[in-house]
Amino acid sequence: MTTREWTVEESLEVPLPPHAVYAALADVRRMKDWSPEVIWVWPRGDRFVGVNRKAWWVWFATCRIVVADPGREFAFDNITFGLPVARWGYRLTRTEHGTLITEYWIDQRRHGWRRWTAEMLGLLFTGTPAPRRAAHNRLGMRQTLRRLDAACRTAV
């Protein structure tokens, strides 16, 4: 049995400065253009609802923006039925040729009945068991970053 991963990070360099990448990421409506799971986003101030799909599973994620540091980092917490699920974020580092984007995911389903309930809801809604979510997210993050890179290259 493998050890469960609680955090995942993937990085990719894009040819835009950090402030331009941040502006794209902070417009959460655009996440549907990059993420392989997000199909629609409804923003409401520092919160938003994302509708996601994987195969025939469709679910919503209620999110709250928790880090909004222009040009440096953008992150939000995913909460389902009041239960903490995960933190998703993007750290931006200036490079010689643009920006290194590090997308990260932190599983927040950690303790007691809340963990068990959030994991069962996750399985029901997404079809992915909690111990396999990190590997699934790693693949999705790579796809998200490649799509974001493509969007950045057309903007240059």
Side-chain angles (χ1 to χ4, degrees):
M1 183 173 171
T2 60
T3 304
R4 181 166 172 179
E5 285 184 89
W6 295 93
T7 62
V8 175
E9 288 189 2
E10 288 291 323
S11 298
L12 185 69
E13 186 176 14
V14 299
L16 286 178
H19 70 276
V21 176
Y22 180 89
L25 291 168
D27 182 357
V28 295
R29 295 169 298 178
R30 296 187 67 193
M31 189 55 68
K32 68 182 179 2
D33 299 332
W34 307 311
S35 170
E37 287 186 345
V38 177
I39 60 173
W40 185 75
V41 177
W42 182 45
R44 302 296 291 168
D46 70 342
R47 297 176 187 273
F48 61 95
V49 174
V51 178
N52 305 297
R53 190 187 89 219
K54 183 184 93 175
W56 63 272
W57 285 279
V58 177
W59 70 97
F60 69 93
T62 304
C63 301
R64 183 174 59 88
I65 298 168
V66 294
V67 180
D69 187 0
R72 294 184 185 195
E73 186 173 4
F74 181 78
F76 54 89
D77 284 348
N78 174 344
I79 303 153
T80 297
F81 297 113
L83 301 170
V85 175
R87 174 165 293 177
W88 287 89
Y90 301 86
R91 287 188 301 274
L92 310 174
T93 306
R94 182 178 296 282
T95 65
E96 182 180 346
H97 301 290
T99 302
L100 181 68
I101 306 170
T102 300
E103 183 176 9
Y104 62 90
W105 170 83
I106 303 168
D107 192 335
Q108 294 181 330
R109 300 170 295 181
R110 301 277 176 133
H111 305 289
W113 70 269
R114 289 176 181 260
R115 173 183 172 175
W116 182 87
T117 304
E119 288 179 351
M120 290 300 105
L121 288 171
L123 178 60
L124 177 68
F125 292 147
T126 72
T128 303
R132 291 204 318 241
R133 192 67 192 171
H136 176 79
N137 286 348
R138 182 178 304 284
L139 294 174
M141 292 161 102
R142 289 175 182 165
Q143 191 170 4
T144 297
L145 290 171
R146 284 193 305 268
R147 289 175 176 176
L148 182 55
D149 178 48
C152 289
R153 290 180 187 282
T154 60
V156 173

